[in-house]
Amino acid sequence: FQRMAPDLDYAVNRYRREAERHYEVLDAQLGGRSFIVGDNYTIADMAAWGWIERARFVLPGSDDPLAAYQNIKGWFDHIDARPATQRARKV
């Protein structure tokens, strides 16, 4: 809605807030841990990385859309530095 129907204020606000709520849940989950589930890198981390990679698209208007989500930011940087992640970027 933010990009395709920005004149629909209700929809823009509703779905922007829902995206922020999801980021808040993930940020809380990552508090004090390296991975989303357990002590190991799993498919949950792989799947979430792709969505968090799009934070600038989902949360436009900031140079650092993850600034409010420090646990996500640290986790993302850790996952993003993995050699397999770098190979995935090239696909």
Side-chain angles (χ1 to χ4, degrees):
F1 286 98
Q2 292 177 112
R3 300 197 189 273
M4 303 309 249
D7 54 321
L8 298 176
D9 290 337
Y10 171 79
V12 169
N13 291 332
R14 178 171 185 235
Y15 290 103
R16 169 71 182 233
R17 182 63 194 120
E18 185 64 9
E20 291 169 346
R21 187 182 71 78
H22 284 222
Y23 279 62
E24 290 165 5
V25 169
L26 182 57
D27 196 63
Q29 175 66 20
L30 287 166
R33 55 176 69 218
S34 298
F35 302 105
I36 296 173
V37 180
D39 296 328
N40 298 304
Y41 180 65
T42 68
I43 191 71
D45 299 289
M46 294 174 209
W49 173 84
W51 287 103
I52 301 303
E53 169 64 19
R54 305 294 182 252
R56 287 190 196 284
F57 184 82
V58 174
L59 302 172
S62 171
D63 290 337
D64 186 3
L66 296 178
Y69 311 102
Q70 289 300 303
N71 295 326
I72 294 176
K73 190 173 186 171
W75 165 87
F76 180 82
D77 290 344
H78 176 73
I79 301 300
D80 202 48
R82 295 173 65 90
T85 306
Q86 294 303 309
R87 288 192 303 273
R89 277 190 182 284
K90 294 178 183 178
V91 173

